[in-house]
Amino acid sequence: MPRLNRENIDRKTNKPNPKSTEGFGDDLLLNRANQTRRDDDVIKSTQRTLYDIDYAIKWFVENEIQPQITANQQLISVPIIFASGEKWDNVRRLGYLRDEKGMLQSPLIMLKRNSVAERDNQRSLDVNRPHPSNYIVHRNKYNERNRYEDDLFPIPKNLPAESQKIYIVDIPKYVTIEYDMMLWCDFTTQMNDLVDQILPYGRFAWGNAGNKFQTTIGSISFETVNTIGEDRLIRATIPLTVLGTLLSDQEARISTIKKMFSPKKLSFDQYVDVGNTNIFQTTSVPIELLQVQSSVMSGLSVTVGGGGAVTNLTPDIMFYLTAVQERQATFVNAVTAQINFGSAVNPVTKLGATYHEFDIFINGQYIDKALYNWTPSINAPQIIVFDTTVIGYNLTPADTIIIKGRWA
């Protein structure tokens, strides 16, 4: 896994120094916004090592199974030890273990770890970098940023939570650990009793309070050890398969537990695409805008895009877009009409509505914008001059001139 590139980063282009690259992809960039100090909390860094699993298995045998045998009509607790280098060397060469005085140790249980392998059904991804969202999340409802207010009343108030303290922990490695549990007794009857005490715990969760792992007991093998000049010993080997998890304090020089605070407010933006239509250059209101009109009026965030422009809709803008009205102009002469209303003010540009936001009809017939000369203004009255030569007729007092658009 490549290191986080902390130096020689061009903040304008956000490009790392290529000579620090260790993987096939670009270096990870150190984002200090994701780093929260942890020297003021009491949460211990979560980790689970091979030692924790070894100790949990040994603790379970000693405190839960509590193996015992009968010797001289007395119950004797069988000691449990873990195979260190010197002890295992003696067992491997001689088949038994002696104490410091040279006496054979019997009865005795010895645990030895043989192998550790990643589980086939829960392997990690074959990538150099973990996915940023592949974490275990734990939330605390109460924290120093969200304290109860009880200055006047002894009972805490039910105030809305401002933020939550969040701890994220990496997904642990799922491994299979193989152990050998070796048992020594003086007599076969003692060995039988000892095995009978252990067998019922097959497929149990072995371990202590914080570390418990599913453990399977395999095929048990028995052997008689005969030593010259000594009594014989009965030995049994019980293979154990433990499904455990491993999580170190740091992985690739990065802490496996991180602290952060949740945002105080979470809002969702709604995006509306109206195609190639510019909502400020037409008198028609797209149906997509009418469908979100109630959301905008209730204060939700809605963004509309169309005609190469993107606009964040507000109640004022929505009212401006949907307030399309019809006003009637009066006859002045054969080529001129007058309108006694001013155009509405665009809440985005703070200017009056443009001529694209008005349509003119004479006796119900739409007049193309190229057939008249008019610049809408917020002041009234306004004069409109028509090109009657192209239209084909002159204006008369009997004509009905309607101007549809955004009026003040």
Side-chain angles (χ1 to χ4, degrees), residues 53-62 79-84 88 108-114 179-184 206 238 240:
I53 301 178
D54 294 344
Y55 178 82
I57 299 301
K58 183 175 179 292
W59 183 93
F60 184 84
V61 177
E62 289 179 338
I80 298 98
I81 63 173
F82 208 87
S84 60
W88 171 244
L108 178 68
I109 295 179
M110 176 183 288
L111 290 170
K112 174 183 175 293
R113 185 177 69 241
N114 293 329
Y179 290 92
D180 275 345
M181 179 189 293
M182 289 168 283
L183 296 72
W184 286 273
W206 291 29
I238 303 177
L240 303 178

Side-chain angles (χ1 to χ4, degrees), residues 28-273:
L28 296 174
L29 297 178
L30 180 62
N31 187 358
R32 295 193 179 276
N34 297 329
Q35 294 182 336
T36 305
R37 58 184 300 177
R38 294 197 54 221
D39 57 350
D40 56 351
D41 61 41
V42 294
I43 302 299
K44 182 181 179 181
S45 296
T46 304
Q47 62 176 343
R48 178 173 289 156
T49 62
L50 288 173
Y51 174 82
D52 296 327
I53 301 178
D54 294 344
Y55 178 82
I57 299 301
K58 183 175 179 292
W59 183 93
F60 184 84
V61 177
E62 289 179 338
N63 297 275
E64 292 294 335
I65 301 179
Q66 297 182 359
Q68 295 176 333
I69 64 170
T70 302
N72 297 327
Q73 298 182 354
Q74 293 182 353
L75 282 177
I76 300 176
S77 298
V78 180
I80 298 98
I81 63 173
F82 208 87
S84 60
E86 296 79 6
K87 294 178 181 179
W88 171 244
D89 181 65
N90 292 333
V91 173
R92 182 180 58 83
R93 289 187 298 105
L94 304 176
Y96 51 86
L97 188 65
R98 294 181 180 272
D99 59 12
E100 297 178 353
K101 298 180 179 180
M103 299 295 294
L104 290 176
Q105 295 194 30
S106 176
L108 178 68
I109 295 179
M110 176 183 288
L111 290 170
K112 174 183 175 293
R113 185 177 69 241
N114 293 329
S115 64
V116 179
E118 189 175 7
R119 298 189 208 173
D120 292 335
N121 57 346
Q122 290 178 310
R123 287 187 177 272
S124 57
L125 297 176
D126 295 331
V127 295
N128 287 347
R129 302 175 185 175
H131 195 274
S133 61
N134 193 23
Y135 296 112
I136 299 175
V137 179
H138 175 74
R139 297 175 181 266
N140 287 342
K141 295 183 179 180
Y142 174 81
N143 59 74
E144 61 272 13
R145 296 188 181 183
N146 183 28
R147 297 180 179 179
Y148 296 126
E149 299 289 342
D150 57 352
D151 296 333
L152 299 178
F153 305 97
I155 302 176
K157 301 177 183 178
N158 293 325
L159 298 177
E162 297 181 354
S163 65
Q164 292 181 331
K165 185 186 293 185
I166 301 174
Y167 289 92
I168 56 175
V169 184
D170 288 357
I171 299 296
K173 302 299 182 293
Y174 295 89
V175 294
T176 300
I177 307 176
E178 301 288 345
Y179 290 92
D180 275 345
M181 179 189 293
M182 289 168 283
L183 296 72
W184 286 273
C185 292
D186 294 328
F187 303 103
T188 303
T189 55
Q190 294 176 346
M191 180 61 70
N192 294 340
D193 293 340
L194 200 56
V195 172
D196 290 340
Q197 297 174 41
I198 297 175
L199 277 179
Y201 292 91
R203 295 192 177 277
F204 274 40
W206 291 29
N208 50 9
N211 300 298
K212 290 188 177 182
F213 313 98
Q214 181 181 346
T215 304
T216 305
I217 297 176
S219 300
I220 305 175
S221 60
F222 297 90
E223 181 183 0
T224 301
V225 180
N226 293 316
T227 58
I228 301 176
E230 299 286 349
D231 294 336
R232 69 174 184 176
L233 293 177
I234 307 300
R235 185 176 72 177
T237 303
I238 303 177
L240 303 178
T241 301
V242 179
L243 302 181
T245 56
L246 295 176
L247 181 64
S248 60
D249 185 18
Q250 294 184 356
E251 291 185 2
R253 299 166 297 279
I254 302 176
S255 176
T256 55
I257 180 172
K258 303 177 182 64
K259 183 179 74 171
M260 62 178 60
F261 290 90
S262 64
K264 295 183 178 180
K265 182 179 180 181
L266 182 62
S267 60
F268 295 90
D269 291 339
Q270 185 175 359
Y271 183 82
V272 178
D273 188 2

